[in-house]
Amino acid sequence: MSLRGKQKRFLRSQAHHLQPIFQIGKGGMNEAMLVQIEEALEKRELIKISLLQNTDEVAEEVAQVLEKEIDCEVVQIIGRVLVVYKASSKEKYQRISKDFNSI
């Protein structure tokens, strides 16, 4: 699923006030972190992930891994912060995707 310009703009506006809930540090990306990120996306649909200064990971590479493993969309990368979106499969958690689908 590839996002259109208006959809990305909408998601960026929704993510503006969010704080990063995951930090990738010295340990880098691992399987447990991918599972936690996927669970958080199921409940929140839109999250921010930050890369700490002591990590060897590059934001673009982390974005590729997330898109491949979790099947989500990286909406934006600003420096060392990624904005990630995935529509929830459960209706009770679909707050953002209801508005998103109308765009």
Side-chain angles (χ1 to χ4, degrees), residues 56-74:
D56 294 332
E57 301 283 345
V58 178
E60 289 78 15
E61 292 174 4
V62 171
Q64 289 175 354
V65 169
L66 289 173
E67 288 178 340
K68 180 181 165 213
E69 298 293 326
I70 301 178
D71 192 34
C72 61
E73 291 288 331
V74 176

Side-chain angles (χ1 to χ4, degrees), residues 25-58:
K26 176 167 62 171
M29 291 287 293
N30 56 31
E31 193 63 36
M33 182 172 282
L34 287 173
V35 170
Q36 289 180 341
I37 290 172
E38 190 168 16
E39 289 173 357
L41 280 170
E42 180 65 32
K43 290 197 176 175
R44 297 177 183 226
E45 293 188 317
L46 189 67
I47 62 171
K48 281 187 179 179
I49 301 170
S50 68
L51 278 72
L52 299 178
Q53 295 293 327
N54 63 351
T55 187
D56 294 332
E57 301 283 345
V58 178

Side-chain angles (χ1 to χ4, degrees), residues 3 7-8 10-19 21 40-49 73-76 82-88 93 96-97:
L3 299 175
Q7 292 172 328
K8 283 186 178 181
F10 171 75
L11 292 172
R12 286 195 308 257
S13 71
Q14 295 295 312
H16 177 72
H17 70 282
L18 297 178
Q19 294 295 318
I21 61 171
L41 280 170
E42 180 65 32
K43 290 197 176 175
R44 297 177 183 226
E45 293 188 317
L46 189 67
I47 62 171
K48 281 187 179 179
I49 301 170
E73 291 288 331
V74 176
V75 178
Q76 183 178 35
L82 288 81
V83 177
V84 182
Y85 170 78
K86 182 177 180 183
S88 178
Y93 298 129
I96 295 173
S97 60

